[in-house]
Amino acid sequence: MRGGGRGHGGGGLGGPGGPSGPSGPGRRGAAPYGKLRELFEERPPRADRGAVRYLVLDAVSDAPRHGYEIMAKIEEKSSGAYRPSPGVVYPTLQLLEELGHVRATARDDKKVYAITAEGKRELDEHREDVASFYEQSEGVWEDRADELFELTHLVRRLMRAFRRAARRGRLTPSAMAKARTVLEDAVAKLEQLLLDA
C-alpha cells in the first residue's frame, strides 16, 4: 500500500484482525461457516489507521454522508467484515477536511462530508488498494460450506493420527520427516488440481 500524497504517510489497507463478519444464521451450512473461516480462510481484513482515509473517501465518492453513514457504507461494502469505529472515522474526516479532500456541510443538524476534486484525485491514486481491500472481505466459502466442512473431518483425522503417534512415542524425527514429505507431495498435487480446475 502506498502512502498518501502531500507528505502524509499511510499503511496498507489489508491486514489481519478486525471483527468477524456474520455467518448468516438460518441457512443450511451456516453453522459450520465460522469454523470454516478458521480452517480455510484468513482473518477478516482491517484497514490500517492511516490508510482508512481511502475507504472514507471511497464511501463519500458517490454521495455526501455523515460519519455513521460512512461507517455503514464501509461495513456494507466489506460484507460486514469491517466497520471502522467512530474513534477512527471522525479523526480521519478531520484530517481529510484539513487536507482539502472533503468538504463539510450541515444537513438535518448533522455534519455531512462530500469529496472534493482534490479528494477524487487522491482516491484515484489508491483505487486499486481500495478494491483489493474489499476483495479480501468477500465470503468465498459460503456457497461451498457443506462440502468444505466435510474436508475438516479429514483434517481432524490427520491431527488425531499425529496425537496418537505422539502419545505412543512414535512421532520420531524420522517419522516426522517422512510425514512432511507425504504432506508436501499431497499439497503440491492439490494445488495443481485446483489450479487446473
Side-chain angles (χ1 to χ4, degrees):
M1 173 86 194
R2 295 177 301 172
R6 317 298 182 267
H8 294 270
L13 283 176
S20 296
S23 60
R27 269 183 299 101
R28 184 172 181 265
Y33 184 55
K35 295 180 181 179
L36 288 176
R37 293 194 70 121
E38 297 174 9
L39 287 171
F40 293 99
E41 191 172 16
E42 295 178 354
R43 296 176 67 189
R46 179 183 62 196
D48 292 344
R49 193 177 184 89
V52 72
R53 65 180 180 272
Y54 305 122
L55 300 183
V56 172
L57 284 174
D58 177 69
V60 298
S61 62
D62 59 341
R65 291 185 167 88
H66 60 70
Y68 280 89
E69 289 175 332
I70 292 169
M71 296 175 216
K73 183 69 173 179
I74 293 172
E75 183 178 30
E76 176 190 344
K77 293 191 71 172
S78 68
S79 302
Y82 175 65
R83 180 185 176 98
S85 68
V88 170
V89 167
Y90 285 107
T92 299
L93 286 168
Q94 183 178 354
L95 171 64
L96 290 172
E97 192 173 8
E98 292 172 357
L99 292 172
H101 293 168
V102 298
R103 182 180 299 108
T105 57
R107 184 187 70 191
D108 298 330
D109 296 326
K110 292 181 180 178
K111 204 172 185 180
V112 297
Y113 299 85
I115 195 168
T116 63
E118 183 68 18
K120 288 179 181 178
R121 283 192 290 271
E122 182 73 6
L123 177 60
D124 285 342
E125 292 180 9
H126 298 274
R127 288 280 187 189
E128 290 185 8
D129 298 315
V130 173
S132 176
F133 175 84
Y134 284 126
E135 283 171 5
Q136 295 179 58
S137 309
E138 294 176 355
V140 296
W141 307 119
E142 208 163 357
D143 293 337
R144 295 289 183 269
D146 290 342
E147 294 92 331
L148 286 168
F149 192 62
E150 292 175 4
L151 295 181
T152 67
H153 293 295
L154 296 177
V155 175
R156 291 192 187 97
R157 280 180 55 189
L158 178 62
M159 297 311 298
R160 283 198 296 267
F162 273 98
R163 281 196 297 269
R164 282 197 299 268
R167 283 196 298 266
R168 296 170 184 175
R170 297 176 181 173
L171 211 57
T172 63
S174 174
M176 287 292 290
K178 292 177 182 178
R180 182 185 180 91
T181 299
V182 170
L183 287 172
E184 287 177 342
D185 181 60
V187 169
K189 288 179 179 178
L190 285 169
E191 287 176 338
Q192 189 61 49
L193 172 68
L194 296 173
L195 186 64
D196 295 339

